[in-house]
Amino acid sequence: MFQTHQQSLRPLTTAHLAQTMTLLSLTADELREQIESELASNPALELIEERRCPTCHRLLAPHAMCPTCSSPRSDAADEPIVFVSPREDFNFSSGVNSEEMPEDNYSSTTEDLPTFVLRQIASELDGSERAIAAYFLTHLDDDGLLSIPLVEIARYFHVPLSKVEGIQRKIQHAEPYGVGSCSPQEALLVQLDLLGESHDIPVLARPMIEKEMGLLSRHQYAELARAFKVSLRTVHQAVAFISENLNPFPARSHWGDVRQSTETPPQVYHRPDILISYLNDDPTKPLLIEIIMPLNGTLRVNPMFRSAIHEAEQEKKDDWKNDLERASLFVKCLQQRNHTITRLMQRVAGLQRNFICHGEKYLKPVTRASLSVELGVHESTISRAVANKAVQLPNGRIVPLAMFFDRSLNVRKVLKEIIEKEGRSLSDTEIADLLSQQGYQVARRTVAKYRAMEGILPAHLRRPTPGV
DNA sequence: CTATGGCACGGATT
DNA sequence: AATCCGTGCCATAG
């Protein structure tokens, strides 16, 4: 009925392209902001009311059928079903948060640690404190530790040191625990305190970290035993506890949790932009892929506005016309964005089905470049689409979309398996051999790198006795 | 002497 | 053109 096509003037085309690119690289959350601001500033744009699927209650785009219920051809088991799903249950810019999304996000970071942390504690801080916290958080290093002295922050804001310390304490108590500490030692102590609230901790743990951090980090256990006048065995127990439950580098979030040391995902990400599940939750059915549109309804050009333009005064007419064009452009770009992401996900999900269903081990190394030729778009288009987006897998994990293009993830996974399985500590060279036996050819140096990436300690100080 | 981490250099990717 | 990644060589620790 009211379509929004026509007008393909040259200048518009470039603007069109530019805006499509921008929208493409936006996260669902960012997109929401963008849409809201556009909606507020442009009267020609309107949000039409939601439509829901009568049977499953899912929000639908205006002319779409519900892909789940009116399940198209569920026989084409290979082809994933991809569709755009308007959802507005997606707000978190408002003050309170944390408990709102019980399910799928355990929260944590990767894209933007500072923002993530700030969001957690924002409600506890007043305006000026928030500014300090924000500044504080911009000076974290890759490990999540503070890279500048506290006094510097205090000086910068002309506030007493104690105030900064208070803020630091709040930051440290946010996830990932210990973030914003000045040293690994401090981070460990914070984590120990937090953990101590709900679990028993070895008595030796705290004094060891507090007083003999040097020995501890150098793994000089015999010295430790002597220093505290306890048996070597006791030291080992405490050390085991520390290395299992604490993490000196908060941002490198690979900690084996006390509760379930099952394959707890080492990294969890922001809210998903894309959801992947099985049709009707049946693993034999095709994959169902929802691309989140952070909206409660659908955007379109207001037809009333369009017709009203003829009656407008000459003065306003130009402005209105301008608005109209912008609106139509915006809608078009949005459609373009969705179309691109849809096609992208369709292809990616098809390729990586094994990965999606059966885990990291089955990730095929696919490059963005190869996909771009398949889809007939420019590489940068894929890059933009992939960057900064998170996907929720059927098993509930939230991973960055970029993980689908990780060249070495499968090898790293196998490497982890090898290390976990073998009771004895294997040297990097041995691991390299084992890997090539399994068909993964990597240099010994690379094994070392992968280990480091996964946060696995070198052979000589790995735990020879893997049981508790 | 062996096992690792650091630096740095192509080549591939973005 | 800028970046990332796998690797080789070398220094250092054990």
Side-chain angles (χ1 to χ4, degrees):
Chain A
M1 319 176 176
F2 4 74
Q3 294 287 49
T4 56
H5 299 326
Q6 104 260 221
Q7 13 183 259
S8 27
L9 308 167
R10 314 308 171 278
L12 262 183
T13 313
T14 53
H16 178 221
L17 276 177
Q19 192 168 12
T20 310
M21 299 268 267
T22 316
L23 290 183
L24 195 59
S25 59
L26 293 183
T27 305
D29 291 304
E30 295 162 343
L31 185 64
R32 177 161 148 278
E33 282 176 31
Q34 187 74 34
I35 291 173
E36 276 174 2
S37 88
E38 198 71 25
L39 210 50
S41 70
N42 191 335
L45 212 55
E46 82 172 342
L47 188 64
I48 60 180
E49 104 274 5
E50 59 185 63
R51 254 182 71 229
R52 285 175 186 275
C53 167
T55 45
C56 76
H57 207 57
R58 165 179 269 134
L59 277 169
L60 299 176
H63 310 295
M65 300 229 294
C66 176
T68 315
C69 301
S70 58
S71 132
R73 36 202 95 80
S74 46
D75 315 318
D78 269 359
E79 285 299 296
I81 302 169
V82 187
F83 65 99
V84 177
S85 165
R87 298 190 166 208
E88 52 71 57
D89 48 337
F90 224 80
N91 40 337
F92 66 28
S93 43
S94 49
V96 205
N97 48 20
S98 59
E99 305 301 311
E100 282 185 5
M101 294 281 295
E103 288 279 322
D104 42 29
N105 69 329
Y106 296 10
S107 61
S108 175
T109 96
T110 274
E111 332 227 321
D112 195 43
L113 186 63
T115 322
F116 172 70
V117 176
L118 193 56
R119 199 172 284 139
Q120 293 178 71
I121 59 170
S123 55
E124 302 172 35
L125 304 174
D126 66 34
S128 68
E129 289 173 330
R130 213 170 285 184
I132 299 175
Y135 179 80
F136 185 112
L137 288 168
T138 58
H139 289 275
L140 298 181
D141 62 19
D142 291 342
D143 293 321
L145 301 175
L146 186 64
S147 55
I148 59 172
L150 278 179
V151 280
E152 196 148 312
I153 299 179
R155 200 178 315 136
Y156 187 89
F157 284 96
H158 305 290
V159 296
L161 186 59
S162 59
K163 176 149 188 170
V164 179
E165 284 172 342
I167 292 172
Q168 181 185 38
R169 200 159 311 124
K170 293 201 169 111
I171 291 176
Q172 289 170 321
H173 287 201
E175 284 187 51
Y177 299 134
V179 65
S181 298
C182 301
S183 67
Q185 180 181 23
E186 193 180 333
L188 290 177
L189 287 173
V190 170
Q191 292 164 17
L192 201 61
D193 287 344
L194 287 167
L195 204 57
E197 290 170 9
S198 55
H199 294 80
D200 291 335
I201 54 179
V203 282
L204 212 48
R206 189 180 182 86
M208 264 179 25
I209 297 171
E210 250 175 355
K211 301 188 182 131
E212 299 295 348
M213 186 65 187
L215 293 178
L216 187 61
S217 57
R218 265 171 276 135
H219 302 273
Q220 292 167 336
Y221 304 140
E223 310 284 329
L224 279 173
R226 199 173 314 133
F228 290 100
K229 302 193 176 77
V230 296
S231 72
L232 196 57
R233 181 175 172 71
T234 319
V235 170
H236 272 127
Q237 281 173 355
V239 169
F241 176 87
I242 291 172
S243 70
E244 273 182 29
N245 297 310
L246 307 182
N247 181 345
F249 310 106
R252 304 212 65 201
S253 49
H254 54 265
W255 39 7
D257 212 328
V258 170
R259 286 147 293 216
Q260 306 154 349
S261 60
T262 43
E263 298 248 330
T264 311
Q267 309 147 321
V268 199
Y269 294 83
H270 283 158
R271 282 150 195 272
D273 302 286
I274 296 162
L275 302 181
I276 302 184
S277 56
Y278 298 107
L279 182 56
N280 303 330
D281 288 327
D282 179 352
T284 62
K285 294 285 180 64
L287 290 173
L288 194 64
I289 301 175
E290 300 180 47
I291 292 152
I292 303 285
M293 275 295 289
L295 273 184
N296 189 6
T298 306
L299 220 50
R300 70 169 186 191
V301 174
N302 188 338
M304 309 285 271
F305 192 95
R306 185 186 292 280
S307 50
I309 197 171
H310 302 296
E311 299 148 25
E313 306 159 20
Q314 197 57 41
E315 299 279 309
K316 301 266 180 182
K317 209 161 184 172
D318 283 348
D319 286 349
W320 284 29
K321 203 158 188 169
N322 189 19
D323 285 343
L324 203 62
E325 277 181 11
R326 268 195 25 231
S328 137
L329 176 66
F330 190 75
V331 171
K332 238 160 112 181
C333 291
L334 211 55
Q335 287 173 351
Q336 182 91 62
R337 172 198 138 106
N338 289 337
H339 181 237
T340 307
I341 298 185
T342 304
R343 289 205 311 150
L344 173 73
M345 287 314 297
Q346 171 96 38
R347 183 67 187 136
V348 168
L351 280 172
Q352 302 288 17
R353 175 161 190 149
N354 275 337
F355 162 65
I356 293 166
C357 305
H358 304 121
E360 303 176 349
K361 209 164 124 182
Y362 302 93
L363 182 74
K364 292 182 201 164
V366 176
T367 67
R368 296 164 172 75
S370 67
L371 220 65
S372 75
V373 301
E374 287 190 38
L375 297 187
V377 298
H378 191 63
E379 297 171 0
S380 68
T381 310
I382 306 280
S383 290
R384 287 171 181 283
V386 164
N388 300 322
K389 295 213 175 48
V391 182
Q392 181 175 65
L393 269 34
N395 63 14
R397 279 190 64 186
I398 298 176
V399 302
L401 183 51
M403 181 182 282
F404 285 74
F405 298 89
D406 190 315
R407 269 177 284 171
S408 58
L409 189 66
N410 49 358
V411 190
R412 293 209 304 272
K413 174 69 179 174
V414 176
L415 178 140
K416 272 196 284 186
E417 282 180 4
I418 290 181
I419 292 182
E420 275 175 26
K421 268 193 201 166
E422 303 302 348
R424 205 159 305 280
S425 316
L426 297 166
S427 77
D428 285 353
T429 328
E430 291 170 305
I431 295 175
D433 285 345
L434 281 174
L435 277 175
S436 60
Q437 279 173 33
Q438 298 191 29
Y440 303 97
Q441 241 219 345
V442 285
R444 112 96 252 284
R445 191 63 189 76
T446 310
V447 173
K449 293 272 194 199
Y450 286 172
R451 251 199 15 253
M453 281 189 207
E454 301 292 342
I456 301 174
L457 292 171
H460 45 271
L461 34 87
R462 236 178 284 144
R463 232 132 100 43
T465 47
V468 179

Short mmCIF file of all heavy atoms in Angstrom, two decimals, chain A residues 49 65 88 105 122 162-163 186-187 191 206 208 223 229 242 263 290 302 314 334 353 394 437 448 465-466:
data_model
loop_
_atom_site.label_atom_id
_atom_site.label_comp_id
_atom_site.label_asym_id
_atom_site.label_seq_id
_atom_site.Cartn_x
_atom_site.Cartn_y
_atom_site.Cartn_z
N GLU A 49 1.88 0.58 14.79
CA GLU A 49 1.66 -0.29 15.94
C GLU A 49 2.09 -1.73 15.67
O GLU A 49 2.20 -2.18 14.54
CB GLU A 49 0.19 -0.22 16.37
CG GLU A 49 -0.67 -1.38 15.99
CD GLU A 49 -1.27 -1.23 14.59
OE1 GLU A 49 -0.92 -0.25 13.88
OE2 GLU A 49 -2.07 -2.08 14.22
N MET A 65 4.73 -12.94 7.76
CA MET A 65 4.04 -14.02 8.46
C MET A 65 4.96 -14.51 9.57
O MET A 65 6.16 -14.35 9.51
CB MET A 65 3.77 -15.17 7.50
CG MET A 65 2.91 -14.75 6.34
SD MET A 65 1.57 -15.88 6.08
CE MET A 65 2.40 -17.35 5.61
N GLU A 88 11.12 -4.80 21.60
CA GLU A 88 11.57 -3.64 22.36
C GLU A 88 11.94 -4.01 23.78
O GLU A 88 12.34 -3.18 24.56
CB GLU A 88 10.51 -2.54 22.33
CG GLU A 88 9.12 -2.97 22.72
CD GLU A 88 9.00 -3.28 24.18
OE1 GLU A 88 9.31 -2.39 24.97
OE2 GLU A 88 8.60 -4.41 24.52
N ASN A 105 22.04 -13.12 29.60
CA ASN A 105 23.35 -12.50 29.74
C ASN A 105 23.84 -12.55 31.17
O ASN A 105 23.21 -12.05 32.07
CB ASN A 105 23.31 -11.05 29.26
CG ASN A 105 22.51 -10.20 30.19
OD1 ASN A 105 21.57 -10.67 30.80
ND2 ASN A 105 22.89 -8.98 30.33
N ALA A 122 26.45 2.65 38.03
CA ALA A 122 25.97 4.02 37.82
C ALA A 122 24.92 4.43 38.85
O ALA A 122 24.91 5.55 39.34
CB ALA A 122 25.40 4.17 36.42
N SER A 162 40.60 9.85 49.21
CA SER A 162 39.66 8.89 49.78
C SER A 162 38.42 8.74 48.91
O SER A 162 37.84 7.67 48.79
CB SER A 162 39.24 9.35 51.18
OG SER A 162 38.66 10.64 51.08
N LYS A 163 38.06 9.81 48.27
CA LYS A 163 36.88 9.75 47.41
C LYS A 163 37.13 8.82 46.22
O LYS A 163 36.29 7.99 45.87
CB LYS A 163 36.53 11.15 46.91
CG LYS A 163 35.38 11.16 45.93
CD LYS A 163 34.58 12.44 46.01
CE LYS A 163 33.33 12.35 45.17
NZ LYS A 163 32.40 13.44 45.38
N GLU A 186 46.05 -6.76 44.41
CA GLU A 186 44.85 -6.13 44.93
C GLU A 186 43.60 -6.78 44.33
O GLU A 186 42.61 -7.04 45.02
CB GLU A 186 44.88 -4.65 44.58
CG GLU A 186 43.86 -3.84 45.33
CD GLU A 186 43.93 -2.38 44.94
OE1 GLU A 186 45.01 -1.91 44.53
OE2 GLU A 186 42.89 -1.70 45.04
N ALA A 187 43.69 -7.09 43.06
CA ALA A 187 42.55 -7.73 42.41
C ALA A 187 42.22 -9.05 43.07
O ALA A 187 41.06 -9.38 43.35
CB ALA A 187 42.86 -7.94 40.92
N GLN A 191 38.72 -10.18 45.04
CA GLN A 191 37.98 -11.38 44.66
C GLN A 191 37.85 -12.32 45.84
O GLN A 191 36.81 -12.96 46.04
CB GLN A 191 38.69 -12.09 43.51
CG GLN A 191 38.64 -11.30 42.22
CD GLN A 191 39.64 -11.78 41.20
OE1 GLN A 191 40.16 -12.90 41.33
NE2 GLN A 191 39.93 -10.97 40.21
N ARG A 206 44.60 -15.84 52.00
CA ARG A 206 44.72 -14.40 52.13
C ARG A 206 46.12 -13.94 52.52
O ARG A 206 46.72 -13.09 51.84
CB ARG A 206 43.68 -13.88 53.11
CG ARG A 206 43.62 -12.40 53.11
CD ARG A 206 42.62 -11.83 54.08
NE ARG A 206 42.67 -10.39 53.91
CZ ARG A 206 41.97 -9.76 53.00
NH1 ARG A 206 41.17 -10.40 52.21
NH2 ARG A 206 42.11 -8.45 52.86
N MET A 208 48.83 -15.39 52.13
CA MET A 208 49.77 -15.68 51.06
C MET A 208 49.77 -14.57 50.03
O MET A 208 50.81 -14.10 49.59
CB MET A 208 49.44 -17.02 50.39
CG MET A 208 50.24 -18.15 50.97
SD MET A 208 49.91 -19.77 50.28
CE MET A 208 49.30 -19.50 48.70
N GLU A 223 59.38 -22.23 49.49
CA GLU A 223 59.62 -21.03 50.29
C GLU A 223 58.37 -20.63 51.04
O GLU A 223 58.42 -20.24 52.21
CB GLU A 223 60.00 -19.87 49.36
CG GLU A 223 61.09 -20.19 48.36
CD GLU A 223 62.46 -20.19 49.02
OE1 GLU A 223 62.63 -19.43 49.98
OE2 GLU A 223 63.32 -20.98 48.58
N LYS A 229 55.32 -21.70 57.81
CA LYS A 229 55.51 -22.84 58.71
C LYS A 229 54.38 -23.86 58.57
O LYS A 229 53.76 -24.27 59.55
CB LYS A 229 55.59 -22.38 60.17
CG LYS A 229 56.71 -21.37 60.42
CD LYS A 229 56.92 -21.20 61.92
CE LYS A 229 58.09 -20.29 62.23
NZ LYS A 229 57.80 -18.86 62.05
N ILE A 242 43.51 -20.77 44.80
CA ILE A 242 43.69 -19.45 44.21
C ILE A 242 43.67 -19.52 42.69
O ILE A 242 42.98 -18.75 42.03
CB ILE A 242 45.02 -18.84 44.68
CG1 ILE A 242 44.93 -18.50 46.18
CG2 ILE A 242 45.37 -17.60 43.87
CD1 ILE A 242 46.23 -18.07 46.79
N GLU A 263 31.76 -26.53 31.30
CA GLU A 263 32.20 -25.62 30.27
C GLU A 263 31.60 -24.24 30.41
O GLU A 263 31.02 -23.72 29.46
CB GLU A 263 31.86 -26.18 28.91
CG GLU A 263 32.54 -27.49 28.62
CD GLU A 263 33.56 -27.34 27.52
OE1 GLU A 263 33.33 -26.47 26.68
OE2 GLU A 263 34.55 -28.07 27.52
N GLU A 290 16.89 -15.00 14.49
CA GLU A 290 16.17 -13.74 14.64
C GLU A 290 17.14 -12.60 14.66
O GLU A 290 18.08 -12.59 15.45
CB GLU A 290 15.39 -13.71 15.95
CG GLU A 290 14.37 -14.79 16.09
CD GLU A 290 13.66 -14.66 17.43
OE1 GLU A 290 13.26 -13.54 17.78
OE2 GLU A 290 13.53 -15.68 18.12
N ASN A 302 5.29 8.34 7.32
CA ASN A 302 3.91 8.63 7.66
C ASN A 302 3.13 9.06 6.42
O ASN A 302 3.39 10.12 5.84
CB ASN A 302 3.88 9.75 8.69
CG ASN A 302 2.50 9.98 9.23
OD1 ASN A 302 1.51 9.60 8.60
ND2 ASN A 302 2.43 10.58 10.40
N GLN A 314 3.85 27.59 1.64
CA GLN A 314 5.04 27.57 0.81
C GLN A 314 6.31 27.57 1.66
O GLN A 314 7.28 26.88 1.36
CB GLN A 314 5.04 28.78 -0.12
CG GLN A 314 6.02 28.64 -1.28
CD GLN A 314 5.73 27.38 -2.10
OE1 GLN A 314 4.58 27.05 -2.36
NE2 GLN A 314 6.78 26.66 -2.48
N LEU A 334 17.40 1.32 6.56
CA LEU A 334 17.13 0.32 7.57
C LEU A 334 16.79 -1.01 6.92
O LEU A 334 17.27 -2.07 7.33
CB LEU A 334 15.95 0.80 8.42
CG LEU A 334 15.95 0.35 9.87
CD1 LEU A 334 17.24 0.75 10.52
CD2 LEU A 334 14.78 1.00 10.57
N ARG A 353 26.84 -24.43 10.69
CA ARG A 353 25.82 -25.14 11.43
C ARG A 353 26.42 -26.06 12.50
O ARG A 353 25.95 -26.12 13.63
CB ARG A 353 24.96 -25.96 10.49
CG ARG A 353 23.99 -26.77 11.29
CD ARG A 353 22.81 -27.28 10.54
NE ARG A 353 21.90 -27.81 11.54
CZ ARG A 353 20.60 -27.82 11.44
NH1 ARG A 353 20.05 -27.31 10.38
NH2 ARG A 353 19.86 -28.32 12.40
N PRO A 394 21.99 -21.37 20.38
CA PRO A 394 20.88 -22.16 20.94
C PRO A 394 21.15 -22.59 22.38
O PRO A 394 20.22 -22.72 23.17
CB PRO A 394 20.82 -23.39 20.03
CG PRO A 394 21.47 -22.97 18.77
CD PRO A 394 22.47 -21.94 19.12
N GLN A 437 48.97 -34.68 14.86
CA GLN A 437 48.40 -36.02 14.68
C GLN A 437 46.90 -35.93 14.41
O GLN A 437 46.34 -36.73 13.69
CB GLN A 437 48.62 -36.87 15.93
CG GLN A 437 49.99 -37.50 16.02
CD GLN A 437 50.21 -38.17 17.35
OE1 GLN A 437 49.27 -38.71 17.94
NE2 GLN A 437 51.44 -38.14 17.84
N ALA A 448 52.23 -22.19 22.10
CA ALA A 448 52.47 -21.33 23.25
C ALA A 448 51.53 -20.12 23.23
O ALA A 448 50.93 -19.77 24.24
CB ALA A 448 53.92 -20.87 23.27
N THR A 465 48.06 -33.03 39.34
CA THR A 465 46.93 -33.81 39.82
C THR A 465 45.64 -33.03 39.57
O THR A 465 45.30 -32.12 40.30
CB THR A 465 47.05 -34.07 41.34
OG1 THR A 465 47.39 -32.84 41.96
CG2 THR A 465 48.10 -35.10 41.62
N PRO A 466 44.95 -33.41 38.50
CA PRO A 466 43.80 -32.62 38.07
C PRO A 466 42.56 -32.76 38.95
O PRO A 466 41.69 -31.93 38.89
CB PRO A 466 43.53 -33.14 36.66
CG PRO A 466 44.13 -34.50 36.62
CD PRO A 466 45.20 -34.56 37.66
#
